[in-house]
Amino acid sequence: MSLIPDISPLTLNRLSVYLRCLRILEAEGETKVSSGALADRFELSPAQIRKDLAHFGEFGVRGVGYDVESLGAHLHELLGLNAQHNLVVVGIGNLGSALCSFLGFNDSSFRVVAGVDADPERVGKQVGDITVQPLEALETVVESAGIEMGVLTIPPEAATQCYERLVASGIRSILNFAAVQLPHRSDVRVKNVDFRVFLEELAFFRRDPS
Amino acid sequence: MSLIPDISPLTLNRLSVYLRCLRILEAEGETKVSSGALADRFELSPAQIRKDLAHFGEFGVRGVGYDVESLGAHLHELLGLNAQHNLVVVGIGNLGSALCSFLGFNDSSFRVVAGVDADPERVGKQVGDITVQPLEALETVVESAGIEMGVLTIPPEAATQCYERLVASGIRSILNFAAVQLPHRSDVRVKNVDFRVFLEELAFFRRDPS
DNA sequence: CCATGTGAACAAATTCACAGCA
DNA sequence: TGCTGTGAATTTGTTCACATGG
């Protein structure tokens, strides 16, 4: 079906946003929505919505708009959410725990199936659905639980080593919350998330305009 | 001094990244760095580094490069990090707690000075430097502690109401982790962070290319 | 010399505006 | 009529290549 052309990261992230918006409308009982209505409701650009969607076929009906449910289903599939993605969370501090519980009741595209921590105090703890295992078990766990994505929620000093171990275990998709530059590998996709960048963006607009 | 021209969000976020890189080099004892060396080390583009920095004056020395310490200081100031920014965290679950402790030992540009939660079980708990206070105390706390930024780490149902209360208390900068569309106000800056968007970006590149 | 700073060339992304279809 | 889908126009962002100056 959908032979997907090249897609920019900006467009890709907007598709996630659109999907979120559609789910909200769906919960409100809406069945049809136009690009203009979507844009008004969620502060988006109608032309951009249409452009973004048009890359992947003709999902809308002229004069009417889009079917909330079927467009949602299309985006869901397009984003690779039909498959279930098993995750391991490395570092079960507060942030790691937050992700474990967050991805418990989620719509099951993502599921944390294991969590490991270097701290013996934390090993054995129950967080969301999982029991914390020792860091040494990382490779074993990845292989036995069919894990395909790793989440790094550990201090920066430990991040690179854990990254190497995840990659050596066959993981090719990593969400990294540690503020370090992980070594680049063309076959591994890393998504870096740095909270300080978000805060600094807010701080910039509060600076003294001297 | 620095009369700052308009700056794109992309450039702004890169400045944060540059600052992070400079701090690492500083810790390693480097005193000078060229755009090329920075780019090699951190997988950036040398021309872009120069363009980005050149917006704000001539920080480099031709034939030499940039002074790690003084460029760091410039960026620090430029990003509004000389001032201390007091934050309130609304919702002290795992994610809220993570932010409280994360911004404990930080370099003091950002400080969580208060945390509130609707759950009586959590009120009185000690997290990082702060003692959790009841949600009702939100306005009082904001006004008495000189708070200028709010962080929303609460379930989506509660987010809009807390947003309104933060804004009514005078807060104009908000970091929002709840997956809702907060009402737009031209005088309030909201930075939305949605973990699912990050995960879906990774999932997209794992989808079945049918 | 060597690396910055910068205008000019290029590329990407967004918006416009309208043809085409239910 | 009304909204999609889309080429064309515009704006924004990136890269190139070189003149400039320590």
Side-chain angles (χ1 to χ4, degrees):
Chain A
M1 252 211 78
S2 47
L3 242 189
I4 295 163
D6 51 349
I7 176 178
S8 86
L10 291 167
T11 302
L12 178 53
N13 288 338
R14 280 196 301 267
L15 295 182
S16 288
V17 172
Y18 300 156
L19 178 54
R20 203 83 66 252
C21 297
L22 290 168
R23 294 307 186 209
I24 292 170
L25 294 177
E26 212 172 349
E28 291 172 0
E30 301 292 330
T31 61
K32 300 280 177 200
V33 69
S34 69
S35 60
L38 250 187
D40 284 350
R41 175 76 195 283
F42 298 101
E43 292 165 35
L44 306 165
S45 143
Q48 188 157 68
I49 293 171
R50 295 200 300 277
K51 257 270 154 72
D52 286 341
L53 297 178
H55 278 124
F56 311 105
E58 308 211 349
F59 294 130
V61 179
R62 290 164 200 242
V64 179
Y66 302 91
D67 182 85
V68 172
E69 195 182 317
S70 83
L71 180 57
H74 272 290
L75 291 178
H76 190 86
E77 189 198 356
L78 194 61
L79 290 168
L81 303 178
N82 282 347
Q84 181 183 300
H85 302 280
N86 291 336
L87 317 195
V88 57
V89 174
V90 182
I92 313 294
N94 281 314
L95 180 56
S97 302
L99 283 154
C100 290
S101 24
F102 175 65
L103 299 174
F105 20 77
N106 224 19
D107 54 85
S108 83
S109 293
F110 300 100
R111 186 163 297 169
V112 175
V113 295
V116 299
D117 202 292
D119 182 353
E121 290 278 308
R122 287 180 182 159
V123 174
K125 238 183 30 175
Q126 195 74 21
V127 183
D129 285 345
I130 60 120
T131 305
V132 180
Q133 297 188 255
L135 182 57
E136 298 82 53
L138 183 56
E139 287 80 3
T140 320
V141 151
V142 167
E143 277 148 44
S144 66
I147 289 171
E148 53 177 41
M149 291 189 183
V151 182
L152 294 173
T153 46
I154 39 174
E157 314 83 71
T160 304
Q161 203 203 346
C162 289
Y163 167 78
E164 302 283 8
R165 290 175 63 186
L166 285 171
V167 172
S169 309
I171 285 182
R172 293 291 172 266
S173 303
I174 290 175
L175 183 59
N176 173 42
F177 288 89
V180 290
Q181 179 66 30
L182 298 175
H184 176 79
R185 316 223 178 172
S186 58
D187 61 338
V188 178
R189 186 164 294 267
V190 175
K191 176 69 181 177
N192 291 300
V193 179
D194 186 338
F195 287 169
R196 279 177 296 193
V197 174
F198 305 141
L199 288 168
E200 285 170 12
E201 185 180 320
L202 289 171
F204 174 80
F205 293 101
R206 302 190 58 81
R207 81 202 179 290
D208 208 15
S210 60
Chain B
M1 250 210 82
S2 47
L3 244 190
I4 295 162
D6 51 349
I7 176 178
S8 86
L10 292 167
T11 302
L12 177 54
N13 288 338
R14 282 196 298 268
L15 295 181
S16 287
V17 172
Y18 301 156
L19 178 55
R20 204 82 67 251
C21 296
L22 289 168
R23 294 308 188 210
I24 292 170
L25 293 176
E26 212 171 349
E28 291 173 359
E30 301 292 329
T31 62
K32 300 281 175 196
V33 69
S34 68
S35 60
L38 249 187
D40 284 351
R41 176 72 194 285
F42 298 100
E43 292 165 34
L44 307 165
S45 142
Q48 189 159 65
I49 293 171
R50 296 201 300 277
K51 257 271 153 70
D52 286 340
L53 297 177
H55 279 124
F56 311 105
E58 309 210 350
F59 293 131
V61 179
R62 289 164 200 241
V64 179
Y66 301 91
D67 182 86
V68 173
E69 195 182 315
S70 81
L71 180 57
H74 272 289
L75 291 178
H76 190 86
E77 190 198 354
L78 194 60
L79 291 168
L81 303 178
N82 282 347
Q84 182 183 300
H85 302 280
N86 291 335
L87 316 196
V88 58
V89 175
V90 182
I92 313 293
N94 280 314
L95 180 55
S97 301
L99 282 153
C100 290
S101 24
F102 175 64
L103 298 174
F105 22 76
N106 224 17
D107 54 85
S108 84
S109 293
F110 300 100
R111 187 163 296 169
V112 175
V113 296
V116 299
D117 202 292
D119 181 353
E121 291 278 307
R122 288 180 182 158
V123 173
K125 240 185 27 177
Q126 196 74 20
V127 183
D129 284 346
I130 60 120
T131 305
V132 180
Q133 296 189 256
L135 181 59
E136 298 82 53
L138 182 58
E139 287 80 3
T140 321
V141 151
V142 167
E143 276 148 42
S144 66
I147 290 172
E148 53 177 40
M149 290 187 184
V151 182
L152 293 174
T153 46
I154 39 176
E157 314 84 71
T160 303
Q161 201 203 349
C162 289
Y163 167 78
E164 303 283 8
R165 290 176 63 185
L166 285 171
V167 172
S169 309
I171 285 184
R172 293 291 174 267
S173 304
I174 290 176
L175 183 60
N176 173 42
F177 287 89
V180 292
Q181 179 64 32
L182 298 174
H184 176 79
R185 314 224 178 171
S186 58
D187 60 338
V188 178
R189 186 165 293 267
V190 175
K191 176 70 182 176
N192 291 300
V193 178
D194 186 338
F195 287 169
R196 279 176 296 192
V197 175
F198 305 141
L199 287 168
E200 286 170 12
E201 185 181 321
L202 290 171
F204 174 78
F205 293 102
R206 302 190 60 81
R207 83 202 177 288
D208 207 16
S210 60

